[in-house]
Amino acid sequence: MPKQTPHHQVLLLGGTAEARVIADNLARRDDVSAVLSLAGVLSQPPELALPLRIGGFGGVEGLVQYIQDHGITTVIDATHPYAAQMSAHAVAACDQTGARRLSLWRPPWQAEPLDDWTDFEDWHALMATIPNGARVFLAAGQDGMNALPVPPDFTVIARALARPKNLPEGVTLIKALPGKTPQEEVAIFQEYRISHLICKNSGGDSSRAKLLAARGLKLPVLMIKRPLSSPPPLYDTPDLLLAAL
Ligand code: NAP
C-alpha cells in the first residue's frame, strides 16, 4: 500500500511579513489546509492566498475551542516578537489540546560600536529619561503611544500604519510604513529635527533603516526590551519553520 502523507490542519497566527511568506507557501502545499488569523488591527487586511479569520479568539479558552472545533493539528505562531499575549495563549492552548506548535522567533537587532542604544525594562522608565524639550520620533505602535506622559514635556512625532485608537493630544502623526532606506529616514529625522528615537527591538529588515539613520545622525535610541520568547520549538526564519512542518 502506498504510504499516506499526513494532512496538516494549520492555524497560522499572523500579523508579520514572515506570516505572509508562510501563508503563500502553505497555500501551495497539498498536504496542508490552513487558515490565517489576524488580530484585526488594520482596517484593510492585505490580500493573501489563504482563507482569513479576523479578531481575537477570546483568550486561551476561546483558542482551545477554536482548535477543537476546527480539528487544528498544528498552530504556527508567526506573530510579532512583542505580541507576547497571543504567543502565550498559543503555548497554553497547544499544551491543553495536544496540537503541535511551531513558533517563529525573529532574532533581535544587535547594537554596533557607533550605536547609542539604551534598553528599558518598562515604558515608565523609558519615558522618564527623556529630557524636557526633546523632539522624539516614536516608532513603537500603540504601546508607545499609551505610555506617553500626559501632557509630555517633549515634542512627539509618531509614525504608525493606521491612526491609533488613542492618539494623545499634541502628537504629530505620520501615517506611513517605515522608510525603506537610511537616507529616507535621515530626511524625516532632519525635517522634524528629531533628537531621540524610541522603538522596539523588532529585528528583521523591514524597519531597520531607522536605526541606521539614527547611527548616522548620532541620535540616542531608547528601546523597550523584548518580552520573553515562547519555549521551543522556535525557528528564526519562515524557511526553517516550513522545513520543520
Ligand atoms: P498581543 O498583545 O499579543 O495580543 C492581544 C490580543 O489580540 C490577543 O490576546 C488576541 O486576543 C488578539 N490577537 C493577537 N494576535 C492575533 C492574531 N494573529 N489572531 C487573532 N487574534 C490575535 O498582540 P499585539 O501586540 O496587540 O499585536 C496584535 C497583532 O499585531 C499581532 O497579530 C501581531 O503579530 C501584530 N503586530 C504587533 C506588533 C507589536 O509591536 N506588538 C507589531 C507589528 C505587528 P484573544 O485573547 O481574544 O484571542
Side-chain angles (χ1 to χ4, degrees), residues 164 200 240:
K200 297 176 175 174
L240 290 171

Side-chain angles (χ1 to χ4, degrees), residues 14-15 37-39 53 55-59 79-80 82-86 89 200:
S37 175
L38 296 176
R53 69 160 299 287
F57 296 92
T79 57
H80 190 268
Y82 284 80
Q85 185 167 303
M86 187 69 253
H89 290 181
K200 297 176 175 174

Side-chain angles (χ1 to χ4, degrees), residues 36-164:
L36 171 66
S37 175
L38 296 176
V41 181
L42 295 179
S43 47
Q44 194 130 41
E47 286 213 4
L48 290 160
L50 290 183
L52 194 62
R53 69 160 299 287
I54 293 183
F57 296 92
V60 176
E61 209 178 299
L63 183 55
V64 164
Q65 193 69 49
Y66 184 94
I67 291 172
Q68 289 170 340
D69 289 351
H70 294 81
I72 301 295
T73 57
T74 307
V75 175
I76 297 181
D77 177 8
T79 57
H80 190 268
Y82 284 80
Q85 185 167 303
M86 187 69 253
S87 293
H89 290 181
V91 171
C94 287
D95 284 351
Q96 284 183 39
T97 56
R100 184 181 181 201
R101 174 182 54 86
L102 304 172
S103 299
L104 192 77
W105 183 81
R106 194 195 285 165
W109 296 308
Q110 302 294 335
E112 293 188 11
L114 291 177
D115 289 321
D116 175 5
W117 297 3
T118 310
D119 278 339
F120 291 87
E121 291 290 342
D122 64 75
W123 282 110
H124 183 75
L126 186 155
M127 293 296 172
T129 64
I130 300 172
N132 288 0
R135 294 180 62 83
V136 307
F137 192 85
L138 183 62
Q142 184 73 56
D143 303 349
M145 219 79 78
N146 293 344
L148 286 170
V150 188
D153 43 20
F154 46 85
T155 303
V156 183
I157 289 92
R159 180 168 60 201
L161 206 46
R163 192 180 172 81

Side-chain angles (χ1 to χ4, degrees), residues 119-213:
D119 278 339
F120 291 87
E121 291 290 342
D122 64 75
W123 282 110
H124 183 75
L126 186 155
M127 293 296 172
T129 64
I130 300 172
N132 288 0
R135 294 180 62 83
V136 307
F137 192 85
L138 183 62
Q142 184 73 56
D143 303 349
M145 219 79 78
N146 293 344
L148 286 170
V150 188
D153 43 20
F154 46 85
T155 303
V156 183
I157 289 92
R159 180 168 60 201
L161 206 46
R163 192 180 172 81
K165 277 184 215 122
N166 304 313
L167 183 66
E169 217 175 298
V171 170
T172 301
L173 180 70
I174 303 177
K175 219 170 137 187
L177 280 167
K180 287 202 173 60
T181 64
Q183 291 80 358
E184 273 177 66
E185 300 292 58
V186 165
I188 293 173
F189 292 171
Q190 286 179 330
E191 179 184 344
Y192 289 95
R193 293 177 289 115
I194 297 302
S195 61
H196 295 72
L197 168 63
I198 300 179
C199 65
K200 297 176 175 174
N201 192 339
S202 299
D205 291 330
S206 64
S207 61
R208 186 160 176 260
K210 61 179 180 283
L211 291 167
L212 302 177

